[in-house]
Amino acid sequence: MTRKLNSLPEPPGNKGLPFIGETIGFFTDPDFNSKRLAKYGKVYQTNIFGNPTVTMVGAEANTFLFRNENKYVVSQWPKSTSILLGDLSLAVRNGSFHTSRRKLLYQAFQPRALASYIPTMENITDEYLQRWQQMETLTWYPELRNYTFDIASNLLVGTDGGSQTPLGELFETWCGGLFTIPINLPWTKFGKALRCRKQLLKYIEAIIIKRQQEDSLREDALGLLIDAKDEEGNSLTLAELKDQVLLLLFAGHETLTSAIASFCLLTAQHPEVMQRLRQEQQELNLSSPFTLENLKQMTYLEQVLKEVMRLIPPVGGGFRKVIEPFAFNGYRIPKDWSIQYQIAQTHKDREIYSEYDRFLPDRFAPDREEDKKSFSYIPFGGGLRECLGKEFARLEMRIFAAKLLQNYQWELLPNQSLDLIAVPTPHPRDGLKVKFRCV
Ligand code: HEM
């Protein structure tokens, strides 16, 4: 078996320059992956973030990787990301520690917890919608960032108006360093982000200590974490609590901001879709307070949100590390190399998606369901590391979209660049400038 594996070639591709490899191209060229896919096929090598890396594209590759977690591969984030997330973060840990923390954190995302989040999500959404109506014209992306951050900080750590506290600003600089070459100098993005991490942790520590001193325990994610005991009956240390909170705040808002902004953009660009969405809201005639059940009735909205995340997935792909060499598609994938699975390219597979580059929500209608093949639609990843906050994200998107469609109109303003910047998550270059008013 080993001899057979050794006789196989490495995947085709280019290692790039010494040390930095092809990292600069990876960041600056929006077609980095599609060009290599066209040249080499669905498995190719490159060198990014200082690691030899194999990119594996498509439903078969995703199935292989998600089913062989902990056998051939384990999760691995780029060095900059894992340093900034912290050693104890669930996202950077593997094996039994990961399993135990995932189980624990999942309690904050189970249906009963989700249902209890609806009133807060609705209130914060109403406040922002009224604010935007008063503004009349606005640059939406930074507003949406504040909106999702306020929801995340309220529901996950019980802090009101998080975007207006130092947390909001620190977070922005910290996020700027997540996917960079990890050189810690005062002027590098990574260096600045590392300093922000220290300040963020101090801030989070103060929130935790205040909460630990409260008499009654609140049932948000932080409450669960403070109260939690691991398998040996030990509480989580303060250092770990801080890393897990930082992860949740990050994961709970950057990605969602991108998804919501893309929904606003694509519906503004497709009046026929907007029209059908409004019609569905009128026919259902549901108003606040929403429930998990009545939100499920918005089936066309669901198709549209699904198509938004197919066409502009908030997370473009994920990273793994090879722990045991393996063969895939006739190539040898060596131990210790990095693997990148590709969400964005999987969603553009012409064999799966007809007219893959068009925004066509009907591709997910019950009689078509173009994503039937396993792991051909993976905005939330898959397998053991599938997004923990998937249902939280879907809930917030539906509440936001339903309220927006029921009561408001939005139009794109002229003279703005709608080109998408990919890092940290896709968003229009000029921040999505719109005219906003009541229906
Ligand atoms: C539209 C919104 C979102 C998208 C597209 C998204 C996407 C993803 C993806 C692709 C992964 C897997 C990364 C990998 O394979 O290595 C992931 C992991 C994760 N997500 Fe999300 N996410 C979203 C929202 C959220 C929210 C709202 C939360 C929490 C409040 C959250 C918490 C997490 C956590 C904790 C992980 C790590 C899971 C693990 O390593 O076991 N995400 N997310």
Side-chain angles (χ1 to χ4, degrees):
M1 177 67 189
T2 315
R3 200 175 323 144
K4 195 170 159 221
L5 190 62
N6 285 338
S7 69
L8 294 175
E10 282 176 7
N14 192 346
K15 291 183 170 51
L17 300 167
F19 184 61
I20 56 169
E22 297 192 300
T23 312
I24 293 174
F26 180 77
F27 280 124
T28 51
D29 182 359
D31 300 322
F32 181 89
N33 281 301
S34 53
K35 280 182 194 157
R36 282 157 183 76
L37 182 65
K39 190 166 174 192
Y40 303 119
K42 286 185 169 179
V43 184
Y44 54 88
Q45 68 165 293
T46 171
N47 189 307
I48 42 179
F49 302 112
N51 300 319
T53 302
V54 175
T55 303
M56 292 171 56
V57 181
E60 284 80 11
N62 302 332
T63 306
F64 181 90
L65 294 170
F66 295 152
R67 299 225 166 116
N68 284 299
E69 199 88 50
N70 292 337
K71 181 175 176 195
Y72 293 128
V73 294
V74 289
S75 174
Q76 182 196 44
W77 290 86
K79 208 167 166 191
S80 55
T81 323
S82 55
I83 294 174
L84 288 170
L85 283 173
D87 275 355
L88 297 166
S89 175
L90 154 100
V92 307
R93 300 297 289 256
N94 289 303
S96 57
F97 184 92
H98 170 253
T99 315
S100 110
R101 295 311 189 256
R102 221 184 128 94
K103 214 159 56 188
L104 207 148
L105 283 179
Y106 174 71
Q107 292 177 49
F109 302 105
Q110 58 176 315
R112 196 172 60 90
L114 290 178
S116 76
Y117 298 156
I118 294 178
T120 305
M121 284 187 182
E122 286 208 42
N123 288 342
I124 297 177
T125 308
D126 287 337
E127 277 166 28
Y128 270 88
L129 289 170
Q130 281 156 22
R131 172 183 153 85
W132 299 332
Q133 187 194 337
Q134 278 161 15
M135 290 168 85
E136 292 176 17
T137 59
L138 65 140
T139 304
W140 218 349
Y141 188 76
E143 286 286 322
L144 290 169
R145 242 176 145 255
N146 288 346
Y147 162 71
T148 59
F149 195 67
D150 279 358
I151 294 191
S153 54
N154 189 308
L155 290 175
L156 303 171
V157 295
T159 302
D160 283 337
S163 63
Q164 303 313 313
T165 67
L167 266 182
E169 208 175 302
L170 289 170
F171 239 90
E172 204 164 329
T173 315
W174 177 82
C175 281
L178 281 173
F179 299 96
T180 50
I181 296 176
I183 300 174
N184 181 12
L185 291 170
W187 59 89
T188 58
K189 281 190 173 180
F190 179 75
K192 288 181 191 156
L194 210 53
R195 281 193 300 286
C196 278
R197 176 178 151 85
K198 272 202 191 130
Q199 291 171 270
L200 276 170
L201 291 185
K202 229 187 200 168
Y203 206 89
I204 293 172
E205 181 171 316
I207 297 176
I208 296 173
I209 290 177
K210 190 159 164 261
R211 285 289 290 275
Q212 282 171 326
Q213 288 163 351
E214 282 176 9
D215 292 336
S216 60
L217 201 74
R218 284 191 249 169
E219 274 202 21
D220 55 12
L222 180 56
L224 283 165
L225 283 171
I226 290 175
D227 199 35
K229 302 266 184 297
D230 67 12
E231 276 75 5
E232 278 101 52
N234 301 315
S235 300
L236 305 194
T237 61
L238 183 60
E240 180 176 348
L241 281 171
K242 288 192 280 185
D243 275 357
Q244 306 302 16
V245 167
L246 186 64
L247 168 68
L248 289 182
L249 283 177
F250 155 63
H253 95 116
E254 279 296 332
T255 46
L256 257 170
T257 310
S258 172
I260 289 176
S262 300
F263 170 83
C264 299
L265 169 68
L266 289 165
T267 45
Q269 288 175 322
H270 294 83
E272 69 296 350
V273 173
M274 178 95 88
Q275 160 74 22
R276 276 181 67 190
L277 283 166
R278 286 200 200 281
Q279 200 181 329
E280 179 178 74
Q281 292 300 322
Q282 275 159 13
E283 282 166 12
L284 288 170
N285 196 20
L286 300 167
S287 53
S288 302
F290 292 129
T291 63
L292 290 178
E293 284 65 37
N294 65 27
L295 287 164
K296 275 196 199 121
Q297 291 173 265
M298 302 173 188
T299 50
Y300 185 63
L301 174 59
E302 188 53 35
Q303 270 172 233
V304 172
L305 290 170
K306 205 169 164 183
E307 177 67 344
V308 166
M309 285 190 290
R310 182 195 69 83
L311 200 58
I312 313 180
V315 179
F319 291 92
R320 297 292 183 265
K321 179 182 171 184
V322 179
I323 51 170
E324 181 69 32
F326 60 88
F328 186 78
N329 267 19
Y331 298 118
R332 176 171 51 89
I333 316 289
K335 187 169 176 206
D336 292 330
W337 282 32
S338 294
I339 301 280
Q340 190 202 176
Y341 76 87
Q342 259 293 320
I343 298 175
Q345 297 302 326
T346 297
H347 289 181
K348 288 183 188 163
D349 192 331
R350 293 154 203 254
E351 287 164 27
I352 307 267
Y353 296 109
S354 54
E355 301 180 83
Y356 72 91
D357 52 351
R358 290 189 56 201
F359 180 62
L360 298 173
D362 274 337
R363 69 173 80 251
F364 294 122
D367 57 341
R368 263 173 80 183
E369 289 184 9
E370 290 188 354
D371 62 328
K372 275 190 214 86
K373 191 167 184 179
S374 300
F375 299 123
S376 58
Y377 178 78
I378 51 159
F380 294 103
L384 292 179
R385 314 239 30 152
E386 190 184 18
C387 176
L388 197 61
K390 177 178 161 183
E391 294 308 325
F392 181 101
R394 292 182 63 224
L395 179 65
E396 189 171 323
M397 283 188 278
R398 277 178 292 167
I399 290 177
F400 170 84
K403 283 187 174 279
L404 188 68
L405 288 162
Q406 285 174 359
N407 301 309
Y408 298 92
Q409 279 184 334
W410 62 103
E411 273 164 49
L412 300 175
L413 291 174
N415 305 323
Q416 63 172 317
S417 167
L418 296 170
D419 292 348
L420 294 178
I421 300 183
V423 178
T425 50
H427 60 279
R429 183 176 297 280
D430 287 346
L432 195 61
K433 297 178 195 294
V434 291
K435 191 154 131 195
F436 193 87
R437 58 173 187 274
C438 236
V439 176

